[in-house]
């Protein structure tokens, strides 16, 4: 492909190797299996047919309506599959800061992996640790719904900012650049970045740690590990490393 027709020219310059796939089952699976790719290689596709989300859920996007991005992050001594809480938060905060730089409508994060516009989901993060301890950072973003809205709780980037080949290339390139910096940052800097991006802090939340085990309370902040600190309605303060969180209506807000 000549430079003049390279749609992903900026992204290519921001990463070590770029793989653009017309169609793929899952960009995360592709990156998990291709052990020849070096750190900060990036796999992208606008047509991911078996996208995966957290807790074994599917990440569904109609062809061309969303972008799947996977970035290979270097192995880190402090990370394994069980304590993989801070990295997805740093990834989400990086995505939030990049989008907010070009959008009039504020984007925030819902702990631990959702990119939100208000209470609607714009995207999600799925980070997975490979056998060689490198981390596959997966980002899915809704770009533009061409048919019916897939869900009343979904929102696309085109509702907030202009989305075309040039702007998308700029966005992905900047996300990769931010990841390169932020994933290598000090834990204290990472925590601050995440705290600034998290819309969950100070919210009333319902937290489900597994089927049938849930509490409501106020989200107070995050621990160094990325765990969410909550003051439960019974007054006890707890930290959760992995859970589903629902933002509840604030006192005084109306449900319309
Ligand atoms: C979630 O909301 O539960 C996370 C969704 C993550 C989707 C992204 S798209 C790129 C990467 N490839 C996948 O199969 N999943 C992630």
């Amino acid at each position: 492909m000549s430079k003049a027709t390279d749609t992903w020219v900026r992204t290519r310059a921001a990463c070590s190797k770029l793989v653009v796939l017309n169609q793929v089952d899952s960009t995360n699976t592709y990156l998990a299996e291709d052990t020849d790719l070096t750190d900060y290689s990036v796999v992208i596709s606008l047509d991911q047919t078996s996208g995966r989300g957290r807790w074994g859920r599917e990440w569904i996007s109609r062809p061309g309506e969303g972008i799947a991005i996977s970035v290979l992050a270097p192995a880190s001594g402090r990370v394994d599959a069980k304590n993989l809480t801070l990295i997805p938060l740093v990834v989400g905060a990086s995505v939030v800061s990049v989008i907010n730089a070009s959008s009039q409508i504020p984007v925030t994060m819902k702990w631990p992996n959702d990119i939100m516009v208000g209470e609607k989901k714009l995207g999600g993060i799925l980070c997975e640790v490979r056998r060689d301890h490198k981390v596959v950072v997966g980002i899915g973003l809704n770009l533009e719904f061409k048919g019916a809205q897939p869900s009343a709780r979904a929102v696309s980037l085109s509702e907030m900012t202009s989305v075309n080949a040039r702007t998308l290339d700029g966005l992905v390139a900047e996300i990769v650049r931010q990841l390169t910096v932020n994933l290598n940052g000090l834990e204290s800097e990472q925590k601050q970045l995440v705290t600034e991006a998290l819309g969950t802090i100070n919210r009333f939340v319902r937290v489900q740690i597994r089927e049938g085990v849930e509490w409501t309370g106020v989200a107070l902040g995050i621990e160094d590990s990325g765990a969410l600190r909550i003051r439960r309605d019974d007054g006890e303060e707890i930290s959760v490393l992995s859970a589903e969180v629902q933002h509840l209506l604030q006192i005084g807000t109306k449900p319309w």
Side-chain angles (χ1 to χ4, degrees):
M1 194 185 280
S2 80
K3 268 201 174 148
T5 57
D6 184 358
T7 315
W8 297 103
V9 64
R10 287 191 235 178
T11 303
R12 211 174 287 284
C15 64
S16 65
K17 179 162 186 202
L18 177 66
V19 179
V20 182
L21 300 167
N22 289 335
Q23 190 179 68
V24 66
D25 52 357
S26 155
T27 52
N28 264 29
T29 306
Y30 185 99
L31 203 42
E33 288 170 358
D34 191 333
T35 46
D36 289 337
L37 288 170
T38 48
D39 293 347
Y40 296 105
S41 289
V42 175
V43 180
I44 50 181
S45 183
L46 298 175
D47 187 4
Q48 180 177 251
T49 54
S50 302
R52 293 182 286 106
R54 278 178 77 238
W55 289 23
R57 284 191 291 250
E58 286 177 301
W59 174 258
I60 299 170
S61 191
R62 293 181 295 231
E65 294 196 0
I67 183 163
I69 310 163
S70 294
V71 181
L72 188 63
S76 158
R78 51 182 202 233
V79 166
D80 62 34
K82 287 193 205 81
N83 68 5
L84 193 64
T85 303
L86 189 60
I87 289 185
L89 290 169
V90 173
V91 173
S94 306
V95 173
V96 161
S97 74
V98 172
I99 297 177
N100 278 338
S102 65
S103 158
Q104 304 296 317
I105 303 172
V107 176
T108 59
M109 270 178 86
K110 180 164 78 71
W111 189 95
N113 75 318
D114 293 333
I115 312 289
M116 307 294 290
V117 179
E119 294 309 309
K120 293 188 175 188
K121 184 157 169 166
L122 175 67
I125 311 292
L126 176 70
C127 295
E128 298 172 299
V129 185
R130 291 199 324 191
R131 232 173 286 159
D132 59 5
H133 301 292
K134 292 179 193 279
V135 179
V136 176
V137 168
I139 303 162
L141 287 173
N142 299 325
L143 295 180
E144 184 172 14
F145 302 134
K146 290 167 187 149
Q149 188 95 356
S151 148
R153 295 203 312 227
V155 65
S156 72
L157 207 56
S158 65
E159 293 163 59
M160 308 154 53
T161 187
S162 127
V163 181
N164 55 48
R166 189 184 55 82
T167 57
L168 196 54
D169 179 31
L171 184 88
V172 178
E174 198 47 36
I175 288 174
V176 174
R177 260 189 232 109
Q178 290 296 320
L179 289 180
T180 314
V181 173
N182 296 335
L183 289 175
N184 286 305
L186 297 173
E187 225 169 59
S188 57
E189 292 166 347
Q190 294 179 332
K191 193 177 163 189
Q192 188 182 341
L193 181 80
V194 170
T195 302
E196 282 165 12
L198 264 182
T200 302
I201 296 175
N202 294 327
R203 291 289 305 250
F204 289 101
V205 289
R206 174 172 290 115
V207 175
Q208 183 189 26
I209 57 164
R210 58 176 180 274
E211 193 70 38
V213 183
E214 61 176 50
W215 305 284
T216 53
V218 178
L220 302 174
I222 58 162
E223 311 277 8
D224 291 349
S225 61
L228 185 65
R229 187 138 192 91
I230 302 147
R231 187 185 313 111
R232 293 193 323 210
D233 289 342
D234 63 8
E236 189 174 337
E237 287 190 18
I238 56 161
S239 294
V240 288
L241 263 176
S242 173
E244 281 297 290
V245 167
Q246 194 187 340
H247 289 169
L248 300 176
L249 286 173
Q250 303 290 94
I251 293 169
T253 59
K254 298 189 173 92
W256 55 83

